[in-house]
Amino acid sequence: MKIKAAVVEKQNADFEIKDVDLAELGADDIQVHMVASGICHSDEALRIGDAVIDYPIVLGHEGSGIVEKVGPEVTQFQPGDHVVLSFYACGNCKSCLKGIPTQCENYAANNLSGVRPDGSAHFTENGKKVADMFDQSSFTSTTIVRERNAVKVDKDLDLRKLGPLGCGYVTGSGTVLNTLKPKPGDTIAVFGTGAVGLAAMMAGRISGCTKVIGIDIVDSRLDLAKELGATDVINSKGIDVVKAVKDLTGGYGVDWAVDTTGVTKVMEDSIGVLAQGGTTATIAVTPNHIDLDTWNDLCVEDKKVVGVNMGDSIPQVDIPRLIEFYKLGMFDFDKTEKFYKFSEINEANADSRSGKTIKPVLIIDDSYEPGK
Ligand SMILES: [Zn+2]
Ligand SMILES: [Zn+2]
C-alpha cells in the first residue's frame, strides 16, 4: 500500500514527504496508523551521517499510533489498540531469554540494518529499497512493526505525547532506574538538559536522590530542569564544573553521573565529578572519544564508567511504569514537548538542533482527538 513518509534521500538532505510503498503485513506484524512521532537526536545523527544505516532512509523511532490490522500470528494486539513503538528484540537469543532485550544479539541487525529482520525491504519507492530505522520508521502515515516493537497504552491518555517514551525518555530514566540504581539519599549529576538528561534527572528524584544536579550551558533549560526534578543546577559555561559539583556535595563529589552530551570534555568531567567509588554512564550517540586515567580514576579511586543501550529497558515493562509516574506527577515528560505539523518536520528538526525545542513531536494525524 502507498503511504506518506518523510524520506532522507542522501546524507545531509532535508526530509521530503513523499509517497512510498509499505511492505506486506507479515504473520506476526501489526499495522499501525501513526498519530505522532517524537524527533530524537539519533534521527539527526543518521540524517547527517554521524551514524549511518543507508540512504534513502525513512527515520523516526518514537512513534505513537493506533493498530489498524494484525497478522494471523499476533496474540497481544487487536485493531483499535493504542500503542507506543520502541526497538525490536528477537526474543529468542540468550540475552532476550535472560530478560535483557537491549543486549539482543541481533539488536543491530534488527534495528540498525535498514531492512526488516527477515532481510526484506520495509519501504520501496519505484521498486527500489528505502531503508528503515528500528524496524519502525515512525515518520510515516502508516507503518508495520513486530508485536515486540509495540507497547499497549490506555486510550484515555493523549497519544500524541507518548511516542518519545519509546526512546528518549526510556533511555534517560532507564539509565538511572535500571542501570545505576541509586539508593535513597545518594547524589547524582546529569550533564545535558535534553529529553534524555531531563528524564535522568526525574528518575534521580524518583529514586530518592537528595542531590540531583542538572548541568548545562543554557539558563532557560536549567530553569526547566529545576521545575522537573533537579535540586540544584549549574551553568558550566566558563567555570570549573568539577569544583562546582564538589562544592555542592561537601567536597565529596557525586555517587552517580550521567553524560548525555557526548562532548569529550564533558564526558571527562562526568568522571571528575564522581566521589570515590562513583559511577558515570555515558549514553550519547557520538563519534567522540575520551582519555581515561585508568590508574588514578579507575584503580585508586575505584570509579566506574559504564555504557548503557536504551536505558537497559524492557519497553513493555518500563513504559507503563513511566506512565504511572507521570500520572503521579513525578515524571512530567510532556513539559519538554512542542507539537509541530508533519509538514513542518524540517523546521522541527532545526529547532531541536538549535536547542530552541527540547523534544519536538510531529502530529502526523491532526484529526486525532485525545480520549476518543
Ligand atoms: Zn534477542
Ligand atoms: Zn532515539
Side-chain angles (χ1 to χ4, degrees):
M1 83 186 257
K2 288 265 186 229
I3 59 151
K4 295 273 181 216
V7 179
V8 174
E9 284 291 344
K10 56 182 200 285
Q11 186 177 349
N12 264 319
D14 279 349
F15 294 98
E16 200 182 327
I17 297 179
K18 44 166 73 176
D19 292 323
V20 301
D21 290 294
L22 180 65
E24 294 290 320
L25 189 75
D28 61 348
D29 286 340
I30 61 177
Q31 182 173 311
V32 180
H33 167 81
M34 300 306 304
V35 166
S37 176
I39 300 180
C40 172
H41 288 291
S42 311
D43 296 310
E44 181 62 357
L46 287 164
R47 188 185 73 82
I48 64 176
D50 270 357
V52 175
I53 292 179
D54 203 356
Y55 302 99
I57 186 166
V58 183
L59 297 167
H61 59 288
E62 293 187 345
S64 57
I66 301 171
V67 177
E68 278 182 330
K69 273 191 207 171
V70 301
E73 290 174 13
V74 168
T75 59
Q76 305 295 313
F77 297 93
Q78 55 189 32
D81 282 344
H82 287 197
V83 288
V84 170
L85 304 182
S86 192
F87 64 91
Y88 176 69
C90 78
N92 299 315
C93 72
K94 211 189 267 184
S95 297
C96 282
L97 292 171
K98 283 198 283 189
I100 320 169
T102 53
Q103 293 173 15
C104 175
E105 286 165 22
N106 305 305
Y107 187 89
N110 289 330
N111 294 290
L112 302 168
S113 63
V115 291
R116 311 220 63 210
D118 66 3
S120 64
H122 205 139
F123 308 100
T124 49
E125 188 184 8
N126 301 321
K128 279 193 174 157
K129 183 193 96 178
V130 180
D132 73 5
M133 177 180 192
F134 267 36
D135 197 29
Q136 175 186 148
S137 295
S138 55
F139 298 160
T140 45
S141 55
T142 307
T143 191
I144 50 175
V145 297
R146 303 297 180 101
E147 271 190 283
R148 245 192 301 276
N149 289 79
V151 181
K152 208 181 293 184
V153 293
D154 289 345
K155 290 182 185 174
D156 58 357
L157 297 163
D158 185 345
L159 193 51
R160 297 172 300 178
K161 295 178 174 178
L162 305 184
L165 291 171
C167 178
Y169 302 135
V170 91
T171 295
S173 63
T175 296
V176 176
L177 299 174
N178 299 331
T179 312
L180 301 181
K181 296 183 188 160
K183 291 192 281 299
D186 282 356
T187 54
I188 186 167
V190 179
F191 291 80
T193 56
V196 175
L198 291 166
M201 289 177 217
M202 290 188 271
R205 204 60 184 265
I206 287 168
S207 303
C209 288
T210 46
K211 282 269 181 219
V212 178
I213 304 170
I215 301 162
D216 203 294
I217 52 172
V218 181
D219 282 332
S220 59
R221 294 174 74 129
L222 291 170
D223 290 343
L224 181 61
K226 265 206 127 158
E227 196 184 321
L228 291 180
T231 59
D232 300 85
V233 292
I234 296 172
N235 187 325
S236 55
K237 205 169 194 172
I239 68 158
D240 179 348
V241 73
V242 172
K243 180 178 180 305
V245 169
K246 294 211 164 168
D247 285 348
L248 280 172
T249 50
Y252 285 102
V254 285
D255 302 306
W256 311 97
V258 179
D259 174 71
T260 67
T261 71
V263 176
T264 299
K265 169 77 168 68
V266 181
M267 290 192 279
E268 289 170 357
D269 281 344
S270 82
I271 303 169
V273 299
L274 293 173
Q276 278 184 254
T279 301
T280 186
T282 57
I283 58 174
V285 178
T286 175
N288 298 332
H289 294 237
I290 55 172
D291 260 343
L292 272 176
D293 182 343
T294 53
W295 170 239
N296 284 304
D297 280 332
L298 304 191
C299 293
V300 177
E301 297 211 9
D302 205 359
K303 294 178 178 177
K304 285 119 189 136
V305 180
V306 299
V308 188
N309 182 29
M310 295 293 295
D312 282 339
S313 62
I314 302 172
Q316 290 76 7
V317 174
D318 289 20
I319 289 173
R321 177 173 66 168
L322 291 178
I323 289 172
E324 291 306 312
F325 283 125
Y326 170 63
K327 288 180 185 167
L328 291 169
M330 298 166 76
F331 195 79
D332 291 335
F333 68 91
D334 54 344
K335 288 194 177 154
T336 68
E337 293 182 338
K338 183 178 170 195
F339 291 168
Y340 294 79
K341 292 180 190 156
F342 191 24
S343 58
E344 296 170 334
I345 182 169
N346 289 302
E347 180 190 336
N349 190 48
D351 286 354
S352 169
R353 276 175 71 103
S354 71
K356 188 174 161 194
T357 300
I358 294 177
K359 176 54 72 180
V361 174
L362 302 169
I363 305 302
I364 296 170
D365 177 358
D366 53 18
S367 71
Y368 165 83
E369 289 180 51
K372 293 202 175 161

